[in-house]
Amino acid sequence: GANASLNFTLGDFANVQLNGRIMSNGFGAVAQGPLERSQEELKEYTVNADVKLDKLMPTKWGLEVPFNFTMTETFIDPKYNPLDDDVKMEDAHNKEELEKVVRQFNRYKSYSFSNIRKIRNPDNRKPLRFYDPSNFALSFSYADEYYRDVYTTYNINQNLRASLNYNYGFKFKSVEPFKNMRAVQDTAKSAKYLRFLKEFNINPVPTRFSFRTDIDRLYTENMFRDLSSYTGSASLLMPA
């Protein structure tokens, strides 16, 4: 078996990571017997990229647009015919036909925008309003997974998610209801005993208002493979 990894950065614009893995037939620990070792050949690679798309936009827009892309593909080829465990693939009489269907293949892809928002200009002296764009944050992701093997013609899973966050902090307004009472004034004899009343304060308005709304959609489709032409049986063979 072998593993490889490569990571490179494009300034503060993007970070890209590549990973690969190969495991051959017969791979395993020294103490493992022949039947305990891997009976298949595996190849896999993964690409992952984090990109700050806002770096391509005018600075005056004040946007943050983080984007992520991930893709993984896995290929697994068995040493033995999965429809007849006693026969190696290379010895199967219908080897050319089987090779088209016995490979286990899985592909996963995802695209996501996480927490897209507008950054408020620190030089902006105007009070923050409840409708200010900087109060909002938007996220979106789409994932697609495709799988097939000797028993499955295809299995598809697609997932779409989106969310909107709103967060607004009200300006703090302190009310000290007992501040002007004569009994708490410094000249009063009782002042030192009632200092806690003088310093008592409340905020009559909420400190923060926030909400979040989410959309989550999932689509799944699956089709089993008719193996009658490979097994000589007229029935649909399902995995055990």
Side-chain angles (χ1 to χ4, degrees):
N3 294 276
S5 180
L6 175 65
N7 187 39
F8 58 92
T9 303
L10 304 176
D12 59 352
F13 172 66
N15 182 48
V16 181
Q17 186 171 7
L18 307 175
N19 294 294
R21 181 164 66 108
I22 296 177
M23 187 172 65
S24 59
N25 288 320
F27 179 78
V30 176
Q32 289 181 316
L35 297 179
E36 297 175 308
R37 294 170 177 260
S38 173
Q39 302 298 313
E40 57 193 19
E41 184 177 89
L42 180 146
K43 298 176 183 177
E44 182 181 80
Y45 75 88
T46 300
V47 179
N48 183 76
D50 290 300
V51 184
K52 295 182 178 179
L53 295 180
D54 47 273
K55 298 299 180 181
L56 303 175
M57 304 174 186
T59 305
K60 63 181 181 180
W61 289 4
L63 292 175
E64 280 190 355
V65 188
F67 171 74
N68 174 269
F69 170 75
T70 300
M71 179 172 178
T72 298
E73 285 193 339
T74 304
F75 308 85
I76 300 177
D77 295 305
K79 179 180 179 179
Y80 290 90
N81 180 356
L83 303 179
D84 188 349
D85 294 339
D86 296 327
V87 179
K88 291 183 178 180
M89 279 297 301
E90 58 187 28
D91 298 328
H93 69 279
N94 54 346
K95 174 184 175 182
E96 294 184 0
E97 292 180 281
L98 282 175
E99 284 181 338
K100 299 176 183 178
V101 298
V102 298
R103 166 173 279 185
Q104 183 178 324
F105 173 71
N106 189 81
R107 181 183 62 228
Y108 174 84
K109 292 190 296 183
S110 72
Y111 313 85
S112 66
F113 294 88
S114 179
N115 203 29
I116 300 174
R117 62 192 184 116
K118 178 174 173 52
I119 305 300
R120 184 174 171 82
N121 190 334
D123 297 327
N124 188 349
R125 302 301 179 185
K126 296 180 180 180
L128 181 64
R129 304 296 185 184
F130 70 91
Y131 51 79
D132 196 292
S134 62
N135 296 328
F136 296 87
L138 176 67
S139 296
F140 172 85
S141 68
Y142 173 77
D144 181 289
E145 185 170 13
Y146 173 87
Y147 174 84
R148 71 169 185 264
D149 63 17
V150 66
Y151 301 107
T152 309
T153 301
Y154 61 81
N155 183 283
I156 299 173
N157 289 284
Q158 297 173 338
N159 184 219
L160 185 149
R161 293 181 177 179
S163 68
L164 177 66
N165 289 277
Y166 175 83
N167 195 5
Y168 175 67
F170 292 89
K171 184 178 180 181
F172 182 78
K173 184 178 181 180
S174 177
V175 176
E176 300 173 313
F178 308 115
K179 183 178 180 180
N180 297 320
M181 287 179 58
R182 181 179 299 178
V184 301
Q185 302 307 310
D186 294 339
T187 56
K189 293 182 179 181
S190 58
K192 61 180 180 180
Y193 304 108
L194 300 177
R195 183 180 297 275
F196 72 95
L197 283 178
K198 184 178 181 179
E199 296 176 351
F200 177 79
N201 66 83
I202 59 173
N203 181 17
V205 297
T207 57
R208 186 170 300 278
F209 173 73
S210 63
F211 71 84
R212 174 188 175 104
T213 182
D214 293 273
I215 297 175
D216 193 342
R217 295 290 182 268
L218 178 65
Y219 173 79
T220 300
E221 184 177 343
N222 182 75
M223 181 177 180
F224 287 108
R225 190 185 303 279
D226 182 357
L227 295 174
S228 58
S229 60
Y230 305 100
T231 63
S233 171
S235 62
L236 188 67
L237 184 62
M238 299 293 184

